[in-house]
Amino acid sequence: MTEKAISALAAALDRALVGQEDAKTGVLLALLAREHAYLEGPPGVGKSRLAEAGVHAASGSPIQLALHRDTRLQDLVGPVQLRREPYGEGQRLRHQTLPGPLLGAELVLLDDLDRAPAQALGPLLRILGERCWQGQALPLESVIATGGPERIDAYADPLEPGSLDRFAIQVRMPGLLYAQRWDCARVLLEGRVELSPGPVIDLCTRRRLQEQARRLPMPRSVQRAYVDLVLRLQRFAAGGMPLSDRTFGRAALRVLRAHALLRGASRVERTDLRALRYMLGRRLPDLTRDQFEELLAEAGRPAAPWLGPSAAAAGAAWGAAGAAGAEAIRARAGRVRSWELQPGARAPGMDEAQVERVLRALEGRFERGYAGLEEDPGGSPRSYRTLRGLDEVFDADPVELIGYLDGTRPGLPRSFRRERRRAGGQVALLRDVSASMEGRLGRWAGRVVAGLVRAGARRRMRIGYVEFNHDARRFHAGGRFFHRRYTSLLELAASSRAAGRTSYQAPLQVALNEFRARAGRNRHIVLLTDGVPVLGDPEVRRERTLARRLGVQVHTVFLGLGEHPPVLDAIARETGGLCFVGQPRPGGGLRVLGLGEGT
Amino acid sequence: MNAGLEGLRKVLDEHVVGHEEVKQALLLGLACREHIYLEGPPGSAKTRMAEVVARSSSLSFFFYQLHRDTRLAELLGDVVLERRPLAEGEGERIHQRIEPGGILTAEICVLDDISRAPGEALNVLLRILNERKFGADSIPLLSAIATSNPMRDEYYNEPLDPANLDRFALQLRVPGLIQSGAKEEARALVSRFAAGTVVEQPELRAVASRRTFDDLYATLRRVQVPSEVKEGLLEILQVLVVEYGCNETNSLLTDRSFLVKAVKLLQGRAALAGRERVELADLDVLRWMTTFRVAEEVHEKVPELIARVVGSAGARPARDS
């Protein structure tokens, strides 16, 4: 009977959506484990549709909310009640928030989670996560939320990792076309999808399945393998968000049990550890399926040296048997390091800290004389402030407004302070691609460029990109030199080839001409080079003058072993820019010196 | 062509010179109940065309000029505060809600200069345009026509959010007649205004009823889509992804638009031509779907690609027989 119910659920999802197997499994796991799920994918892949279909099939009548910029906590939680109570001679006004439908819901669908202001979302997700409101337990089972992929130029604030952690299940949904699932595309074209599959199991069955999942035994050996696997995943995530105890100590176990139930097993087995894959969407975005399988295969092997008991044993061996123990520990360290350097894994220690230094200093420059947020009536609400004019009444806090109009509130009501990121400033990135920029230096330069693009994107600056050797090559997007197509710039940063010799004059000329053709403030050039100019005017006198006249700050970054050409220092000093020198060190790694600020 | 829409086309021709493709696309969008996005420089008759189509169909109509300070309430209706006395005790319950108006009550709406509004304000449109639902209530909207200036530094606008852009199934560039060097049409334009008989704000009478649109929609959903057309569509998409390297970061080939809506647009194309079966040549409609969804260089190659696929698929059955 269990089997029948589960296959009916799966079939209902299959009827509603073609392909997207991972996401379907994720939704089923969330429903059975009573956990929250977050489906992430580009527009039009059927995120909302899948969420809806899952909830309906499981006989839920969800509360559905589409979140947007002006979503307020009040809209989500419930209306406000003002109660007048006699108080001595006078009256007391009590302000209460009433529980709205959301708080009585068992299943909730939240659409476009990433579009709501983080301020409204934080408390909501907390309530949903704790399943508790003002000390009262909520009947909530699962929240299924959807959202778009993370974009560096999105206007909404990115979701807080802490908020996102409330969603135990996190699955990414790639588009069928981009994933080249032509078979699925064909089915979809045939139009053989059901618009809204009705309930396929009843409420009792849902409860029974959840109860059944909760009781599935999880043998000790699987528990051990699980802990081992999670620790390995944490190691993989080194530097990123830590895997939380809340999720991986508690929620994940429910998910594993639900996975076993989906398989029709009577207890949790090793293979159910695969359910973790549905929990890693945003937590470990770099982990590929193969890497996961590899980690899984290793998990729980007795040889794993850093598992609690064996680590203790190794420590004991260290004391007792000296050399052998040291060997064991060294082997352990060696293994870990080689792991971290695998492609795809984050690899700390590789000059990243040095890149960060340069980026931070330059970002500081981008920021100067320029506030990140400016007041704008169309922007996202950030905080409250006092009403300043009658036109802001629409945005005022309704309860306070009424109090004010009634004369029961002494001060003006509060309205929102709306702000948006300033769309301003231009930066031209000039990257040396002469033959010597091969290998490590080239990669390093790529990282700096990518970092600057991200920094510019955060400030919505327009960015121009030039690669130069003896000649300068401009990269246009949509017919423009300065543009905001940040993703294509990131691709360029990762894919340049080195050849030719170096000239400083050519790229500076190109960039300054672009600046000359337009007005603007907050203008920067970042010149990344590793060579001495052998062509063009080595002192670039004309360009220096022009930059000063146009008010463009030229920052220079020199990479390489030899002495840096003093002209770089001079350019930066004259235009009020920064000058950096990065020297590769014999043992690998890079040392960056900031040569002080220009005046 | 369908009689009701033929009238509409005539009115369009009366009021606007040239822009053959845009006119076709507007009618197709209305017939298929899809949204249309027109982008062109100032003064290229974008708004005029949108307005003429909207006003001469007897549908309830909402026109809104978006601007930097556009607020939600202006698009959706008035924000009202409801105060109700409590059932017991003294006091009141306060509710803030939106009294539906604007987009929520219109059957057809024109969102002029859509890219001037901050993206944040627009994102509430997403669900409305897509699901045609506000909260739990369905709304009567058939089509939204949005216009915008090209993204250039001189204009105070910013590109539409991809998710918003994807809501507009049909997307067209509207070049000015003079800018694109359309000599004949420019001549016609000048001679029309030279006569001095043109009324600047013409009275438009309704030439297409709601009934016309309902009937047309019912008809077009019955239009057959032969498998060779579906295969042709898939082939074009395959080339875009595999050969031209369209991916998530450089394009917007969404499953919803290209695997679901495209079929409806193909049917619409056939229905408007009075056919009961989609033909390979109808795949031409993909040109209007890819305008801003793929890079400009790729879009330039789309007509060629369509011709290639149509040609090779057209040749196949001939060989077989």
Side-chain angles (χ1 to χ4, degrees):
Chain A
M1 190 164 157
T2 304
E3 215 170 292
K4 218 172 110 191
I6 286 176
S7 60
L9 274 176
L13 293 190
D14 277 335
R15 284 200 301 276
L17 194 73
V18 185
Q20 309 291 7
E21 292 78 7
D22 280 3
K24 285 176 186 165
T25 312
V27 168
L28 288 183
L29 286 176
L31 289 172
L32 295 182
R34 301 179 64 132
E35 282 298 333
H36 304 326
Y38 179 61
L39 306 176
E40 180 182 276
V45 288
K47 304 181 288 291
S48 312
R49 187 187 179 92
L50 174 62
E52 248 172 76
V55 170
H56 284 298
S59 189
S61 43
I63 297 294
Q64 188 162 13
L65 291 168
L67 301 177
H68 54 83
R69 179 198 63 171
D70 291 332
T71 305
R72 297 197 276 192
L73 189 59
Q74 272 176 14
D75 304 337
L76 302 174
V77 176
V80 177
Q81 182 167 287
L82 282 181
R83 187 180 281 278
R84 275 179 231 276
E85 292 165 357
Y87 182 71
E89 295 275 294
Q91 218 179 29
R92 198 153 64 165
L93 213 56
R94 196 183 285 277
H95 181 168
Q96 293 171 308
T97 305
L98 298 177
L102 188 67
L103 299 181
E106 290 177 344
L107 295 166
V108 174
L109 297 177
L110 292 179
D111 267 324
D112 301 319
L113 189 69
D114 53 338
R115 287 174 191 276
Q119 288 93 330
L121 217 48
L124 171 75
L125 293 181
R126 199 184 154 72
I127 295 168
L128 298 182
E130 308 290 324
R131 297 178 161 83
C132 182
W133 162 257
Q134 292 181 344
Q136 277 194 323
L138 303 179
L140 184 70
E141 289 177 20
S142 303
V143 177
I144 302 184
T146 68
E150 224 175 344
R151 286 170 47 215
I152 50 173
D153 53 345
Y155 49 75
D157 299 327
L159 287 172
E160 240 181 299
S163 305
L164 215 47
D165 191 48
R166 311 266 177 202
F167 295 89
I169 303 279
Q170 302 183 355
V171 193
R172 300 183 157 209
M173 296 175 70
L176 295 178
L177 292 173
Y178 293 133
Q180 308 204 14
R181 303 274 314 258
W182 305 114
D183 49 333
C184 294
R186 202 161 272 134
V187 177
L188 193 51
L189 269 184
E190 292 299 326
R192 273 192 254 123
V193 278
E194 213 171 291
L195 274 178
S196 51
V200 295
I201 59 169
D202 57 22
L203 187 64
C204 285
T205 316
R206 186 171 93 216
R207 292 273 149 75
R208 192 170 50 75
L209 289 176
Q210 288 168 344
E211 190 55 32
Q212 242 174 318
R214 216 166 57 85
R215 284 162 188 246
L216 286 185
M218 184 166 171
R220 193 162 282 266
S221 65
V222 179
Q223 288 176 25
R224 263 205 297 274
Y226 168 73
V227 173
D228 192 4
L229 178 59
V230 169
L231 292 179
R232 279 169 200 269
L233 287 168
Q234 175 63 63
R235 207 158 283 233
F236 186 93
M241 267 296 287
L243 302 178
S244 75
D245 294 350
R246 169 174 56 207
T247 305
F248 288 87
R250 200 184 63 183
L253 302 180
R254 296 201 196 117
V255 175
L256 295 186
R257 292 198 165 96
H259 191 265
L261 187 72
L262 277 187
R263 281 193 310 120
S266 57
R267 61 192 182 121
V268 181
E269 283 161 31
R270 200 184 154 87
T271 177
D272 293 313
L273 298 184
R274 293 209 165 76
L276 282 186
R277 228 163 34 81
Y278 306 106
M279 301 181 60
L280 298 178
R282 267 289 180 90
R283 294 187 175 98
L284 275 183
D286 303 333
L287 185 78
T288 65
R289 185 182 276 236
D290 288 346
Q291 282 170 329
F292 179 85
E293 285 297 326
E294 205 178 298
L295 286 177
L296 179 61
E298 282 173 20
R301 292 266 171 78
W306 39 269
L307 194 74
S310 63
W318 172 261
E327 194 54 43
I329 293 198
R330 216 169 298 133
R332 177 171 121 207
R335 184 171 315 186
V336 171
R337 195 169 319 126
S338 69
W339 225 106
E340 283 168 346
L341 288 178
Q342 275 192 8
R346 290 199 180 86
M350 239 184 74
D351 313 336
E352 214 154 63
Q354 303 286 325
V355 173
E356 274 305 309
R357 270 188 62 195
V358 176
L359 290 179
R360 236 175 285 144
L362 286 173
E363 269 197 74
R365 275 320 178 85
F366 292 169
E367 199 80 56
R368 241 187 221 189
Y370 159 95
L373 290 168
E374 70 176 355
E375 284 223 2
D376 183 315
S380 290
R382 305 259 167 200
S383 59
Y384 279 119
R385 61 164 167 67
T386 318
L387 197 75
R388 287 186 306 205
L390 273 182
D391 59 327
E392 289 175 354
V393 155
F394 300 106
D395 235 8
D397 183 274
V399 175
E400 296 187 1
L401 178 64
I402 284 183
Y404 171 71
L405 294 175
D406 285 353
T408 49
R409 191 190 144 84
L412 283 167
R414 293 176 302 171
S415 74
F416 281 120
R417 176 159 74 223
R418 290 184 177 275
E419 286 172 333
R420 63 199 317 233
R421 257 164 271 171
R422 257 173 86 141
Q426 297 128 18
V427 55
L429 304 177
L430 316 180
R431 175 183 185 179
D432 193 340
V433 290
S434 62
S436 51
M437 266 293 196
E438 196 55 271
R440 224 174 77 209
L441 284 182
R443 276 203 305 280
W444 200 82
R447 285 193 121 115
V448 175
V449 171
L452 289 174
V453 169
R454 289 204 183 89
R458 280 198 289 276
R459 290 167 182 76
R460 304 201 35 78
M461 295 175 90
R462 291 180 203 276
I463 301 178
Y465 182 61
V466 175
E467 288 184 356
F468 69 94
N469 34 38
H470 47 280
D471 198 12
R473 188 169 159 221
R474 290 186 302 172
F475 288 85
H476 286 267
R480 273 170 299 140
F481 177 67
F482 289 107
H483 59 85
R484 294 212 187 102
R485 302 204 180 155
Y486 304 116
T487 27
S488 69
L489 283 169
L490 288 179
E491 273 170 30
L492 283 176
S495 68
S496 91
R497 255 195 203 133
R501 291 181 296 164
T502 305
S503 150
Y504 291 170
Q505 196 180 11
L508 282 174
Q509 231 170 26
V510 164
L512 287 168
N513 278 337
E514 294 288 347
F515 278 116
R516 184 148 53 172
R518 55 193 8 260
R521 301 184 299 133
N522 199 24
R523 315 206 276 183
H524 303 265
I525 289 178
V526 180
L527 179 74
L528 265 166
T529 179
D530 72 328
V532 196
V534 288
L535 293 158
D537 174 9
E539 292 293 316
V540 289
R541 287 200 182 79
R542 246 169 45 93
E543 284 71 26
R544 277 150 70 175
T545 322
L546 185 58
R548 267 207 311 274
R549 194 160 62 75
L550 293 175
V552 177
Q553 292 185 20
V554 184
H555 313 282
T556 58
V557 183
F558 179 81
L559 311 171
L561 269 176
E563 270 300 299
H564 73 283
V567 60
L568 291 178
D569 203 2
I571 301 176
R573 208 172 41 236
E574 277 178 22
T575 57
L578 298 175
C579 176
F580 297 94
V581 175
Q583 288 167 335
R585 308 178 77 186
L590 210 109
R591 203 163 71 101
V592 170
L593 300 169
L595 292 188
E597 297 187 355
T599 40
Chain B
M1 189 189 272
N2 180 288
L5 291 200
E6 204 164 342
L8 214 57
R9 177 63 210 251
K10 242 183 236 155
V11 181
L12 259 181
D13 283 337
E14 267 167 41
H15 290 276
V16 180
V17 175
H19 296 303
E20 173 61 31
E21 286 211 348
V22 182
K23 289 173 182 169
Q24 282 182 23
L26 278 172
L27 296 187
L28 179 63
L30 278 185
C32 297
R33 304 193 173 174
E34 286 298 343
H35 309 308
I36 306 144
Y37 174 71
L38 303 177
E39 183 178 303
S44 53
K46 305 179 294 293
T47 310
R48 173 52 69 91
M49 282 190 280
E51 240 191 307
V52 166
V53 162
R55 284 193 197 277
S56 24
S57 49
S58 59
L59 303 174
S60 63
F61 167 68
F62 172 67
F63 178 95
Y64 194 74
Q65 173 88 38
L66 287 103
H67 53 89
R68 200 192 87 134
D69 297 350
T70 299
R71 286 175 199 278
L72 202 58
E74 298 168 50
L75 291 169
L76 303 185
D78 298 327
V79 176
V80 291
L81 276 178
E82 281 177 356
R83 313 167 61 175
R84 294 216 184 105
L86 296 183
E88 48 169 308
E90 222 180 311
E92 56 194 352
R93 188 169 291 185
I94 300 168
H95 241 314
Q96 186 182 26
R97 59 178 195 89
I98 287 173
E99 182 78 40
I103 288 190
L104 299 184
T105 50
E107 288 169 306
I108 180 165
C109 72
V110 176
L111 302 171
D112 207 27
D113 274 335
I114 190 165
S115 56
R116 273 181 214 254
E120 291 97 321
L122 287 179
N123 78 36
V124 71
L125 283 179
L126 283 173
R127 202 170 183 71
I128 297 178
L129 291 181
N130 193 45
E131 318 263 311
R132 294 179 168 81
K133 248 185 184 178
F134 182 65
D137 308 324
S138 294
I139 58 168
L141 184 71
L142 298 185
S143 292
I145 307 172
T147 74
S148 163
N149 290 136
M151 301 308 142
R152 290 180 54 173
D153 301 335
E154 298 93 283
Y155 306 127
Y156 296 103
N157 56 9
E158 49 185 275
L160 279 187
D161 180 334
N164 260 332
L165 194 56
D166 192 48
R167 265 43 177 191
F168 297 92
L170 294 171
Q171 314 178 338
L172 280 92
R173 277 211 172 80
V174 188
L177 298 180
I178 296 172
Q179 177 199 16
S180 57
K183 200 170 174 185
E184 283 305 308
E185 290 160 350
R187 262 192 201 142
L189 182 69
V190 169
S191 74
R192 173 178 297 193
F193 283 96
T197 53
V198 178
V199 189
E200 285 292 329
Q201 291 300 327
E203 289 269 315
L204 291 165
R205 64 205 153 72
V207 291
S209 65
R210 171 78 200 219
R211 182 80 195 277
T212 321
F213 289 105
D214 286 346
D215 290 349
L216 182 58
Y217 193 70
T219 324
L220 81 88
R221 291 313 266 166
R222 286 195 298 268
V223 169
Q224 284 180 11
V225 188
S227 64
E228 56 171 11
V229 175
K230 287 180 188 156
E231 288 302 318
L233 173 62
L234 269 184
E235 197 179 330
I236 292 171
L237 293 170
Q238 243 160 358
V239 174
L240 285 175
V241 173
V242 180
E243 278 181 37
Y244 293 170
C246 289
N247 61 36
E248 268 169 50
T249 57
N250 64 13
S251 61
L252 196 64
L253 300 179
T254 60
D255 298 348
R256 170 174 50 211
S257 298
F258 286 87
L259 297 175
V260 181
K261 290 185 176 175
V263 176
K264 191 160 77 168
L265 289 167
L266 287 170
Q267 288 175 317
R269 199 97 165 106
L272 283 184
R275 281 183 271 115
E276 282 169 10
R277 218 177 134 82
V278 177
E279 285 172 6
L280 274 167
D282 293 327
L283 284 173
D284 205 33
V285 77
L286 284 176
R287 271 190 309 133
W288 299 337
M289 294 189 67
T290 46
T291 316
F292 300 106
R293 286 190 173 99
V294 298
E296 215 172 325
E297 308 85 73
V298 176
H299 183 245
E300 277 165 18
K301 292 195 188 124
V302 167
E304 201 181 304
L305 172 62
I306 295 172
R308 192 174 98 202
V309 168
V310 169
S312 67
R316 236 173 278 139
R319 258 203 319 276
D320 290 347
S321 62

